[in-house]
Amino acid sequence: MSARPETITAVEAAGETYKHGFVTEIDSEFAPKGLSEDIVRFISAKKGEPEWMLDWRLRAYRRWLTMQEPAWAKVDFPQIDYQDSYYYAAPKGFGTRPKSLEEVDPELLRTYEKLGIPLSERMLLAGVAVDAVFDSVSVVTTFKEKLHEAGVIFCSISEAVQDHPDMVKKYLGSVVPYADNFHATLNSAVFSDGTFVYIPPGVRCPMELSTYFRINAANTGQFERTLIIADKGSYVSYLEGCTAPMRDENQLHAAVVELVALDDAEIKYSTVQNWYPGDKEGRGGIYNFVTKRGLCRGRNSKISWTQVETGSAITWKYPSCILQGDNSVGEFYSIAITNNHQQADTGTKMIHIGRNTTSRIVAKGISAGASQSTYRGLVSIHPRAEGARNHTQCDSLLIGDKCGAHTVPYIEVRNPSAQVEHEATTSKLSEEQMFYCRQRGLDAESAVALLVNGFCREVLQHLPMEFAVEAQKLVGVSLEGSVG
Amino acid sequence: MGKAMLEIKNLHVSAEGQEILRGVDLVVNAGEVHAIMGPNGSGKSTLSYVLAGRPGYDITQGSIFYRGEDLTPLPPEARAAKGIFLGFQYPVEIPGVATMTFLKHALNAQRKWRGEEELDAMGVMKLVQREAGKLKISADMLKRPVNTGFSGGEKKRCEILQMAVLQPLLAVLDETDSGLDVDALRLVGDGVSALRTPDRAMIVITHYQRLLDHIVPDFVHVLSQGKITRSGGRELALELDREGYAGEQPPERIPARA
Ligand SMILES: Nc1ncnc2c1ncn2[C@@H]1O[C@H](COP(=O)(O)OP(=O)(O)O)[C@@H](O)[C@H]1O
Ligand SMILES: [Mg+2]
């Protein structure tokens, strides 16, 4: 592969420091197996955290000890032994990074190829520490400068704890309290790293922000913590992760994402998740237990979640909006694809507290193979939410006859002026449509991909352009082998 | 080539255990247009599906050769890439997939299969717009999802557009004229006639001879109860139009009402 001239300069400039970085990381980034108060202290100490941060973690840990793993989701998996994990290991650390493409799992490379990701990015995503990595160093630098000019803070949460403690203190746990739920509480105790974003009043963030552009993004651990604050009248679009599979030996991912939108602010949060789903027999794969919640604190604020969930063996995820400010708007656009033995229990919660609050839910579930997909959604209208409105559209598409789709809507209305509408459909991939596509020259797999993309279009439209293109390809890749 | 483009011999076809085609023989040479007429339920659409390779139709006897090759083991997409196009009697709706996008995927899938270079979005757009113009299909319609919310006439014109873009060697048009008003019929007829070249062949399935004013056939066949019962020239269509299919079909059974 060829490196751009700026890359080479960046490599030369950064070369020494990076080599150093690798060595120290290998030596230091391990904690003993298992979970205890000492481990929590160890993590906090490693990060040189202030006392208040450690206290918060410890409170979470003690609380977690009293909690039960939730069992209400329609997912089925063997008991997780929480003592059989590392809570602070260099996550797929620099030390174990493959040195060249030859060392990378060929199946992983094939997936990247199918996704049409250029070689350099493939190497980066597979964790190969070569030019590609440095390539992104220069990208990061230009990004950082532009953002700095706009007054946007975009850094890791660990840095934010050090550099912006007041803000972290004020907002961390303000949307997802440390005692919120089993997985979120565990995350609060042991979160490894994650992203912090602050957009100052009146600023429209000059570019889409993505963890992809942060070097440590490729290495964020299984307990990510993300906090995004959009101050009055600001706007930000945030893309989570990247479109390529991040494979990880670790089984459990328990991330927490908190969003806060003040008066007239808008946050658009997009995710394309395609972690390792396990093999065709259902062995391996990531357990993805995520708590994502946005608080529309201010008047006229808006939070919009768009997600494309194609990966993980188990997905347990309900990006939600608390519509506290009057006239605030919450949106949830979701595509959940399950194949083989994957299980997804996903949906949203729209909590209407303020007056004239509006929410819109469009959920598309596609199940193939022997997979199970459940949409679970709550629309709650509080007594004060005069004039609240919700519209929910929930469509399931079944491919084959061994899979299942389930819709579980919960609706609570405690204000008589509210309007709540729920529509749901379930259909099978039609033989007629398949034949029509194939008659025009598409092979069976391309036909499925095209039909499913059509089925999901309403949601795909809400993704930022580049993301949408990747997501469309991903839809095809994740359904491979679903028709004979 | 000298060889027939399509050679169907003693073709028997069943669906769901029921025999629909009962020994069809048909030879179509390059450059020819064959019209197939016949009463409802005689097996015309079934014949078109079998040529295109639709799953669910079993060939129990006989053979189909296309340009010297046994067609029966090929999947539908391979037949399409080899130049077989089916204009559907009931074009299928594909929600969420813009007509332009659909054509781009279809065209490039065929090109790829044939080892030809794929066209970029711009190239496809130009090609499609040019052909759409001839059929008076608006740019707006190309943005709408395939056949979704189209009127009957729009669907049929869209089928012809697809044919014009995909440039097949053998086009089977199944009742492309039904549901068309006089103007649309002329557009479709002209569209089809424009594709009439010495190296292409067409099988035009229709109920009415009026389409054949626009697409003048070389041969006309009558399919009745799964068999070709009569064959002739253009004049046979006119005769059938005057006299109907009387004698081609047993008197209709009137179902007893419960
Ligand atoms: N998939 C199928 N399964 C069972 N019967 C079928 C199927 N397709 C067609 N038929 C039957 O075969 C006969 C011929 O149908 P068709 O080919 O559609 O006739 P035409 O196009 O000439 O009106 C009809 O009686 C029809 O009900
Ligand atoms: Mg028919």
Side-chain angles (χ1 to χ4, degrees), chain B residues 15-16 18 20 39-46 57 89:
Chain B
E16 288 167 23
Q18 191 194 330
I20 303 169
N40 269 335
S42 58
K44 302 184 297 297
S45 292
T46 300
Y57 292 85
Q89 182 177 359

Coordinates of all heavy atoms in Angstrom, one line a residue, chain B residues 15-16 18 20 39-46 57 89, ligand 1:
Chain B
A15 N -47.4 -27.6 -11.9 CA -47.2 -26.8 -10.7 C -48.1 -27.4 -9.7 O -49.3 -27.7 -10.0 CB -47.5 -25.4 -11.0
E16 N -47.6 -27.5 -8.5 CA -48.3 -28.1 -7.4 C -49.0 -29.4 -7.8 O -50.2 -29.6 -7.5 CB -49.3 -27.1 -6.8 CG -48.6 -26.0 -6.0 CD -49.5 -24.8 -5.7 OE1 -50.7 -25.0 -5.7 OE2 -48.9 -23.7 -5.5
Q18 N -50.1 -30.3 -10.5 CA -51.2 -30.3 -11.6 C -50.5 -29.9 -12.9 O -49.7 -29.0 -13.0 CB -52.1 -29.1 -11.2 CG -53.4 -29.1 -12.0 CD -54.1 -27.8 -11.7 OE1 -54.1 -27.2 -10.7 NE2 -54.8 -27.3 -12.8
I20 N -50.0 -28.3 -16.3 CA -50.5 -27.1 -16.9 C -50.1 -27.1 -18.4 O -51.0 -26.9 -19.3 CB -50.0 -25.8 -16.2 CG1 -50.3 -25.9 -14.7 CG2 -50.5 -24.6 -16.9 CD1 -49.6 -24.8 -13.9
P39 N -57.2 -18.5 -24.6 CA -58.1 -18.1 -23.5 C -57.4 -18.1 -22.2 O -56.3 -18.6 -22.0 CB -59.2 -19.2 -23.5 CG -58.6 -20.3 -24.3 CD -57.5 -19.8 -25.2
N40 N -58.0 -17.4 -21.2 CA -57.5 -17.4 -19.9 C -57.3 -18.8 -19.3 O -58.1 -19.7 -19.6 CB -58.5 -16.7 -18.9 CG -58.2 -15.2 -18.9 OD1 -57.1 -14.8 -19.1 ND2 -59.2 -14.4 -18.6
G41 N -56.2 -19.0 -18.6 CA -56.0 -20.3 -18.0 C -55.5 -21.3 -18.9 O -55.3 -22.5 -18.5
S42 N -55.1 -20.9 -20.1 CA -54.6 -21.9 -21.0 C -53.1 -22.3 -20.8 O -52.6 -23.2 -21.4 CB -54.8 -21.5 -22.5 OG -54.2 -20.3 -22.7
G43 N -52.4 -21.5 -20.0 CA -51.0 -21.8 -19.7 C -50.0 -20.8 -20.3 O -48.8 -21.1 -20.3
K44 N -50.5 -19.7 -20.8 CA -49.6 -18.7 -21.4 C -48.5 -18.2 -20.4 O -47.3 -18.2 -20.7 CB -50.4 -17.5 -22.0 CG -51.4 -18.0 -23.0 CD -52.1 -16.8 -23.7 CE -52.9 -16.0 -22.8 NZ -54.1 -16.7 -22.1
S45 N -49.0 -17.7 -19.3 CA -48.1 -17.2 -18.3 C -47.2 -18.3 -17.8 O -46.0 -18.0 -17.6 CB -48.8 -16.6 -17.1 OG -49.5 -15.4 -17.5
T46 N -47.7 -19.5 -17.6 CA -46.9 -20.6 -17.2 C -45.7 -20.8 -18.2 O -44.6 -21.0 -17.8 CB -47.7 -21.9 -17.1 OG1 -48.8 -21.6 -16.2 CG2 -46.9 -23.1 -16.7
Y57 N -42.3 -24.5 -10.9 CA -42.8 -25.1 -12.1 C -41.9 -26.2 -12.5 O -40.7 -26.0 -12.9 CB -42.9 -24.0 -13.2 CG -44.0 -23.0 -12.9 CD1 -43.7 -21.9 -12.1 CD2 -45.3 -23.2 -13.4 CE1 -44.7 -21.0 -11.8 CE2 -46.3 -22.3 -13.1 CZ -46.0 -21.1 -12.3 OH -47.0 -20.2 -12.0
Q89 N -46.9 -10.1 -16.7 CA -48.3 -9.8 -16.8 C -48.7 -8.9 -15.6 O -49.5 -8.0 -15.7 CB -49.2 -11.1 -16.8 CG -50.7 -10.8 -17.0 CD -51.5 -12.0 -17.1 OE1 -51.0 -13.2 -17.1 NE2 -52.8 -11.9 -17.2
Ligands
LIG1 N1 -48.1 -21.9 -9.4 C1 -49.2 -22.6 -9.8 N2 -49.7 -23.5 -9.0 C2 -50.9 -24.2 -9.4 N3 -51.6 -23.9 -10.5 C3 -51.1 -22.9 -11.3 C4 -49.9 -22.2 -11.0 N4 -49.7 -21.3 -12.0 C5 -50.8 -21.5 -12.8 N5 -51.6 -22.4 -12.4 C6 -52.8 -22.9 -13.1 O1 -52.4 -23.2 -14.5 C7 -53.4 -22.7 -15.4 C8 -52.8 -21.8 -16.4 O2 -52.5 -20.6 -15.8 P1 -51.7 -19.4 -16.6 O3 -50.4 -20.0 -17.1 O4 -51.6 -18.3 -15.6 O5 -52.7 -19.2 -17.7 P2 -52.9 -17.9 -18.7 O6 -51.7 -17.0 -18.5 O7 -52.9 -18.5 -20.0 O8 -54.1 -17.2 -18.3 C9 -54.5 -22.1 -14.5 O9 -55.5 -23.0 -14.3 C10 -53.8 -21.8 -13.3 O10 -54.7 -21.8 -12.2

